[in-house]
Amino acid sequence: MNHKKVFINGKIYTVNSKKDWAEAVVVSNNKIIYVGSSKGAQVHIDDFAEVTDLKGKLMLPGFIDSHAHLVMGGQFLLNVDLTNVQSKSEFCNKLKEFATVNPNKWITGGNWNHQNWKKVELPHKSWIDPFTTDIPVFVSRMDYHIALANSYVLKLAGIDRDTKNPIGGEIEKDQFGEPTGILKDKAMDLVYDIIPKSSETELAEAVDAAMNEAKKLGVTSIHDISYDNHFPALQRAERSGKLNTRVYSSQLIKNYKDLISNGIQHNSGNDFLRTGTVKAFADGSLGSQTAYMFEPYSDNPDNVGLPMEEMSNGQLEEMILESDKNKLQCCIH
């Protein structure tokens, strides 16, 4: 049966520069077949059409999020939210509240941004150690290029004053050579490697949380950066009808050979889940002062940022050329 939805008498923004505004939209089998006047939409109204009178209300096209980490975002929604903290005291109080309610789990998430604080300073493990002596805490800055680990996590990861910086990363240390808890870019992997892997159930919960957030905000399409166990979680969600937005998944470029051998090319998939893009990292981020620069940062004259190992040794160029040759799209951070 041809199921139609007809919206009339609205103020509809079309995103079409030739005709910015319309009164009516007709959708048939999830495809828009008419945009124009309410009078013109009448021809599409029959006994099977579902008609909605917008009564002059605004209608917008669904939003497309062009860069998201869908599963990570869902996991963040289920963990501590430090997005709006603006000071050391707020940072500590929020974490202490969360630790009190969740005493037996890894505390991750975060999304803090020290650049927005009243006093711009990176957090320190000593801020949170007193109330997290036996609780692992690893909370990321909003760009996921810096994270703060408490002393308990540093010990679990084997990070101390003698631990050398990995290529493409930095373990920040104080004037006495002791780690401050701040880990940058590839140094974060030292902790990621010991965080317990999420179960399929936990990943499904994260996808559900992200889908609910997208639906609430009118996001109908997402360009996702999928890490190793994320794409299978999205596949399971799609097969069980749990995706309520369209997702285009970009997988890590290190997996390009597997994608090529499986015949994956750009735009592979169906209406709700597609893949065929690979994501690579060349360096860090501006806010974390790990973006790789030709000249030092003006307020940090000894720092030019952090290039990734693949950027330095030429592997990145090789992976990009091979991916592109095999019709995989490349996006490079």
Side-chain angles (χ1 to χ4, degrees):
M1 181 181 293
N2 185 10
H3 181 62
K4 284 189 287 190
K5 293 184 178 181
V6 182
F7 301 88
I8 58 173
N9 301 325
K11 186 176 182 181
I12 299 165
Y13 185 56
T14 67
V15 200
N16 181 348
S17 59
K18 295 179 181 178
K19 187 173 175 56
D20 290 328
W21 297 96
E23 295 177 324
V25 169
V26 179
V27 178
S28 176
N29 294 328
N30 290 323
K31 301 290 183 184
I32 295 173
I33 61 171
Y34 174 82
V35 179
S37 67
S38 295
K39 182 178 179 180
Q42 296 299 316
V43 69
H44 297 282
I45 298 177
D46 55 29
D47 292 341
F48 303 106
E50 177 185 337
V51 181
T52 300
D53 188 341
L54 295 172
K55 298 178 181 178
K57 292 179 180 177
L58 177 67
M59 175 185 272
L60 297 172
F63 298 119
I64 299 175
D65 190 326
S66 63
H67 183 130
H69 299 270
L70 197 153
V71 177
M72 287 173 62
Q75 291 170 327
F76 159 73
L77 291 168
L78 299 173
N79 225 294
V80 66
D81 182 359
L82 303 173
T83 306
N84 295 319
V85 304
Q86 295 185 341
S87 66
K88 172 183 174 180
S89 60
E90 288 183 18
F91 183 92
C92 295
N93 289 339
K94 195 96 175 194
L95 270 171
K96 190 172 185 178
E97 289 172 11
F98 192 87
T100 301
V101 178
N102 301 274
N104 299 313
K105 63 175 286 186
W106 272 77
I107 297 178
T108 57
N111 214 38
W112 50 270
N113 185 2
H114 66 299
Q115 299 290 350
N116 290 338
W117 295 357
K118 295 167 186 173
K119 179 183 178 182
V120 177
E121 59 181 332
L122 284 170
H124 194 284
K125 64 182 182 182
S126 63
W127 294 7
I128 61 175
D129 278 348
F131 56 85
T132 60
T133 53
D134 56 356
I135 301 172
V137 178
F138 190 60
V139 286
S140 301
R141 187 178 182 273
M142 48 85 69
D143 57 6
Y144 288 93
H145 286 269
I146 285 183
L148 175 70
N150 65 349
S151 290
Y152 184 52
V153 164
L154 292 176
K155 185 176 181 180
L156 289 175
I159 299 171
D160 57 27
R161 61 184 300 119
D162 298 319
T163 308
K164 291 182 169 48
N165 290 329
I167 296 174
E170 180 187 350
I171 301 166
E172 185 183 83
K173 297 177 181 177
D174 63 21
Q175 58 183 330
F176 305 109
E178 287 295 326
T180 66
I182 289 293
L183 304 177
K184 300 181 179 181
D185 282 312
K186 281 296 184 180
M188 296 166 63
D189 289 350
L190 301 174
V191 173
Y192 284 139
D193 288 344
I194 65 165
I195 294 178
K197 301 299 181 187
S198 298
S199 67
E200 287 191 9
T201 299
E202 289 170 331
L203 290 170
E205 290 172 351
V207 173
D208 285 346
M211 289 293 102
N212 289 335
E213 187 76 0
K215 184 178 180 180
K216 182 174 70 176
L217 298 173
V219 176
T220 58
S221 296
I222 295 174
H223 297 189
D224 178 54
I225 313 301
S226 303
Y227 292 94
D228 284 341
N229 55 355
H230 294 178
F231 187 68
L234 293 174
Q235 287 181 305
R236 290 191 292 271
E238 189 276 327
R239 289 167 185 157
S240 59
K242 293 291 186 70
L243 292 185
N244 57 31
T245 74
R246 295 176 177 85
V247 179
Y248 197 116
S249 168
S250 176
Q251 302 187 55
L252 297 182
I253 199 168
K254 68 177 184 177
N255 300 321
Y256 78 100
K257 290 183 179 177
D258 291 336
L259 295 172
I260 292 169
S261 66
N262 286 318
I264 302 297
Q265 296 182 349
H266 66 92
N267 211 28
S268 296
N270 58 34
D271 274 356
F272 267 87
L273 181 60
R274 297 181 185 274
T275 190
T277 298
V278 287
K279 173 68 180 279
F281 293 86
D283 63 347
S285 74
L286 284 169
S288 300
Q289 293 195 342
T290 55
Y292 193 38
M293 297 295 184
F294 290 109
E295 297 178 8
Y297 286 81
S298 60
D299 58 347
N300 192 354
D302 295 325
N303 178 30
V304 293
L306 292 171
M308 297 297 158
E309 183 175 11
E310 295 85 354
M311 176 78 170
S312 303
N313 63 20
Q315 286 183 340
L316 183 58
E317 181 181 12
E318 177 185 335
M319 290 190 288
I320 291 170
L321 290 172
E322 195 65 22
S323 298
D324 181 70
K325 185 174 73 175
N326 285 278
K327 294 184 170 57
L328 288 171
Q329 294 173 315
C330 299
C331 57
I332 316 301
H333 172 99

